[in-house]
Amino acid sequence: MKIIKTKFKGLLIIKQKLNKDRRGYLRECFNDKILKKKFFFEYYTKSKKNVLRGFHFQIKHQQCKYVNVLKGKILDCVVDLRKNSRTFGKSFKIILSANNCLGLYIPRGFAHAYFSYEKENIIYYKLDNYYKPLYERGLRWNDKDLRIKWPIKKPLISNKDKKLPSLKEYLQKK
């Protein structure tokens, strides 16, 4: 495994080790000696092609997330919501796939979303805090101020995500 820093403080790309032979492969997704983080909550999602989930975050009991794609390919995107950060309000995008063996470590204070490219996409998360629906918030996926170019104009989105506010609207309500 190799850690690659981004221009966002604490946001890390993890190049995972893949051992392949004629039988298949073994992929080392996490090693606490390299990515020195403590996780105790895990889950996975399965998304169909053209599904967009997010942007989601928790205002209390915030979560660090380590995102991996076990099957398929996604465009993973985060928005920095840390008010004292020099990258506040800016976004970062990366392709994560079963083929490229990249993971993304997202520190607390980021909103997270992803778009699914393939027929079946399985995304595996490690988190350092539990899901608390009472504190869940989100941002509109197509907020013009975020200037995020998604692969398609009309992705499949949950009704809940369609009703999320823009970043400006969210900050005004706070």
Side-chain angles (χ1 to χ4, degrees), residues 64-102:
C64 292
K65 296 178 180 179
Y66 180 42
V67 182
N68 292 280
V69 174
L70 302 181
K71 183 177 184 181
K73 176 180 167 182
I74 65 171
L75 175 62
D76 202 294
C77 189
V78 296
V79 175
D80 190 348
L81 298 178
R82 302 171 297 179
K83 285 200 174 175
N84 296 326
S85 171
R86 64 179 179 78
T87 52
F88 174 77
K90 297 197 181 332
S91 65
F92 175 87
K93 297 188 307 186
I94 187 171
I95 298 285
L96 302 178
S97 72
N99 290 335
N100 71 13
C101 298
L102 295 177

Side-chain angles (χ1 to χ4, degrees), residues 18-123:
L18 183 71
N19 297 302
K20 257 182 161 178
D21 66 21
R22 63 185 170 89
R23 301 167 297 164
Y25 61 86
L26 177 137
R27 180 169 136 193
E28 181 181 311
C29 296
F30 177 71
N31 183 329
D32 69 351
K33 291 178 183 173
I34 296 169
L35 183 60
K36 298 176 183 187
K37 308 294 180 188
K38 300 285 184 217
F39 300 107
F40 53 85
F41 181 58
E42 301 177 17
Y43 66 87
Y44 76 92
T45 62
K46 179 179 171 183
S47 295
K48 297 176 181 179
K49 185 174 184 168
N50 296 328
V51 166
L52 193 147
R53 297 182 187 262
F55 284 95
H56 302 141
F57 58 97
Q58 291 184 178
I59 54 170
K60 288 185 182 176
H61 307 283
Q62 292 184 346
Q63 300 167 307
C64 292
K65 296 178 180 179
Y66 180 42
V67 182
N68 292 280
V69 174
L70 302 181
K71 183 177 184 181
K73 176 180 167 182
I74 65 171
L75 175 62
D76 202 294
C77 189
V78 296
V79 175
D80 190 348
L81 298 178
R82 302 171 297 179
K83 285 200 174 175
N84 296 326
S85 171
R86 64 179 179 78
T87 52
F88 174 77
K90 297 197 181 332
S91 65
F92 175 87
K93 297 188 307 186
I94 187 171
I95 298 285
L96 302 178
S97 72
N99 290 335
N100 71 13
C101 298
L102 295 177
L104 187 65
Y105 173 78
I106 307 164
R108 293 177 178 195
F110 281 78
H112 177 248
Y114 70 83
F115 172 84
S116 299
Y117 282 102
E118 296 188 2
K119 183 178 175 181
E120 184 177 55
N121 303 274
I122 298 175
I123 298 86

Side-chain angles (χ1 to χ4, degrees), residues 120-173:
E120 184 177 55
N121 303 274
I122 298 175
I123 298 86
Y124 177 74
Y125 295 81
K126 291 176 102 36
L127 302 104
D128 76 337
N129 214 340
Y130 294 101
Y131 173 62
K132 305 276 186 175
L134 182 64
Y135 303 111
E136 182 183 26
R137 299 294 184 276
L139 301 176
R140 188 176 311 128
W141 68 278
N142 60 351
D143 181 346
K144 288 179 177 39
D145 291 337
L146 296 177
R147 291 181 262 166
I148 297 166
K149 290 184 181 177
W150 293 103
I152 63 174
K153 292 184 188 220
K154 292 187 178 185
L156 299 171
I157 302 169
S158 72
N159 288 332
K160 182 176 90 172
D161 285 356
K162 287 178 184 177
K163 298 173 186 172
L164 293 173
S166 68
L167 178 58
K168 279 183 186 174
E169 292 166 339
Y170 170 74
L171 293 173
Q172 289 169 355
K173 288 180 187 177

